[in-house]
Amino acid sequence: TLNDIPSDIYLLQEVDEDSKRSYHMDQKQVLLEQLKMDYYFAYNYCCLYVPFPLPPIGKVMAGVTTFTNFNTLQSTRYSLPVSFKWPISIANLKRCLLINRIPINGSDKELIIINLHLEAFDSGEGKVAQTNTLKKIMFEEYEKGNFVVAGGDFNQVFSTVDDSKYPKIWDGWSSGFIDANDFPKGWQLVTDDTYPTCRDVSRSYNDEDAKNHNWQYYVIDGFILSPNVKLLQINVINEDFVNSDHNPVYMKFILEK
C-alpha cells in the first residue's frame, strides 16, 4: 500500500519491533527494505508481558516511525503525560511525539514534522493533557517562524469533520474530540471523511457487515497545520482495512513564503 502511494514523508504508528501480536516480526526492517528511506523510530510501548485482554497480548515492543529522505537536523522523542496510574501503567503505552526538524533551503527556518499516536483508552483527561502538550509545542515552533505539521492517530475527531455518516451503532470504544476553536486563527485541522479512517477492533472484521456499512467506524486520523503551511490535497486511501484497522490518510502541502 505504501509503495502505491509515493510520498516524501511517511508517518506510521504501531510499528512493531518484537511483539507477540505480529509474530515477533521486525516491521521496521520490513518497511525499510521496501521503502528504502531513512527512518526515525520512537518507542511508545515496551512491555515484556501485557496480561490483557483475553487471550493476552503478551510481549510488545513497538513505536511510531517516520520515514523520509529529507535531510533531518534532529529527531527527538518527546514524552507525553501518562494517563494511567500504577499498576495499570506498567502494561500500558507511554505515549510520545516523534519530532523531526528538517532544514529549508535558503532559510534559517525549519519544517517541523510531528508523528503522533495519542491516548485511546483513558476516560478523556489523558487525551486533553496530551493534546494540550502537542499544541504548546506547535505554537512555540510557529512563533519561531517554523513550519509545523503534526499527523497521525489522534484517537479524537476534529470539530471540522462531519462524522454523522459514521454514527454510534454499538456500545464500545468512543473517540475524543478536538475543537478547532481552541486554535488561533489560521491553524488548520484537516482530514477526509469520504471513507472512515479507523474501524472497531472489538470483534473480527466481517465482510458482509462491512459491505452493508453495519460496522462501527471512526474518523480519527489526520493532520494539524500551522498557518504558514498551505493544504493542496487530502484524502483517505480506502484499503477497506485489509492490512490494518486504519486507512491511510494522504496529504499534499506547500510552505508559504
Side-chain angles (χ1 to χ4, degrees):
T1 298
L2 296 177
N3 279 328
D4 289 341
I5 315 169
S7 300
D8 296 305
I9 306 169
Y10 294 93
L11 305 181
L12 306 179
Q13 299 83 46
E14 294 190 275
V15 177
D16 285 4
E17 184 182 67
D18 180 11
S19 303
K20 177 188 174 186
R21 63 187 182 184
S22 51
Y23 303 92
H24 303 281
M25 176 192 297
D26 186 347
Q27 295 181 337
K28 294 200 319 297
Q29 189 61 35
V30 173
L31 290 162
L32 178 63
E33 291 169 0
Q34 288 293 315
L35 294 175
K36 296 178 174 59
M37 301 173 79
D38 296 336
Y39 78 87
Y40 306 85
F41 180 84
Y43 287 111
N44 64 9
Y45 209 179
C46 298
C47 189
L48 293 178
Y49 188 80
V50 179
F52 46 76
L54 293 175
I57 293 174
K59 182 180 181 181
V60 181
M61 300 288 287
V64 296
T65 310
T66 299
F67 282 86
T68 182
N69 280 333
F70 283 142
N71 178 31
T72 297
L73 297 174
Q74 185 183 58
S75 184
T76 306
R77 182 192 186 280
Y78 194 101
S79 295
L80 291 172
V82 176
S83 302
F84 303 96
K85 299 186 182 301
W86 190 91
I88 300 298
S89 61
I90 295 174
N92 233 304
L93 289 89
K94 308 301 187 296
R95 306 282 179 171
C96 69
L97 307 174
L98 178 57
I99 304 176
N100 277 32
R101 312 184 76 90
I102 297 172
I104 298 171
N105 290 338
S107 172
D108 62 348
K109 307 306 179 186
E110 299 167 341
L111 171 60
I112 309 299
I113 298 292
I114 304 176
N115 189 348
L116 59 88
H117 187 184
L118 301 187
E119 190 56 66
F121 302 109
D122 68 319
S123 57
E125 298 87 348
K127 292 182 183 66
V128 172
Q130 291 175 3
T131 303
N132 286 339
T133 299
L134 170 66
K135 286 160 57 178
K136 180 176 183 293
I137 292 172
M138 295 186 75
F139 295 166
E140 288 175 351
E141 291 296 339
Y142 175 63
E143 286 298 317
K144 297 175 187 175
N146 293 328
F147 304 80
V148 191
V149 174
D153 179 358
F154 287 84
N155 276 308
Q156 299 168 90
V157 62
F158 297 155
S159 64
T160 52
V161 170
D162 177 12
D163 62 347
S164 60
K165 65 175 73 173
Y166 310 112
K168 189 81 170 172
I169 60 175
W170 63 47
D171 292 335
W173 185 82
S174 296
S175 65
F177 180 79
I178 299 181
D179 192 342
N181 292 322
D182 292 337
F183 288 75
K185 183 179 179 181
W187 286 82
Q188 305 165 78
L189 282 65
V190 299
T191 188
D192 175 21
D193 60 11
T194 306
Y195 301 100
T197 71
C198 179
R199 70 166 178 88
D200 186 272
V201 292
S202 62
R203 61 196 79 177
S204 299
Y205 203 41
N206 180 295
D207 287 342
E208 189 64 30
D209 281 339
K211 184 172 66 177
N212 295 322
H213 302 285
N214 183 29
W215 205 266
Q216 189 63 65
Y217 296 110
Y218 311 93
V219 179
I220 56 174
D221 305 87
F223 300 89
I224 300 178
L225 312 178
S226 58
N228 50 2
V229 177
K230 182 178 180 180
L231 177 69
L232 298 181
Q233 175 186 347
I234 188 160
N235 57 284
V236 176
I237 309 297
N238 183 28
E239 291 291 313
D240 198 26
F241 307 107
V242 66
N243 294 310
S244 170
D245 59 320
H246 289 255
N247 276 323
V249 182
Y250 175 82
M251 180 176 66
K252 181 181 283 190
F253 65 91
I254 59 173
L255 309 181
E256 300 274 25
K257 287 187 179 181

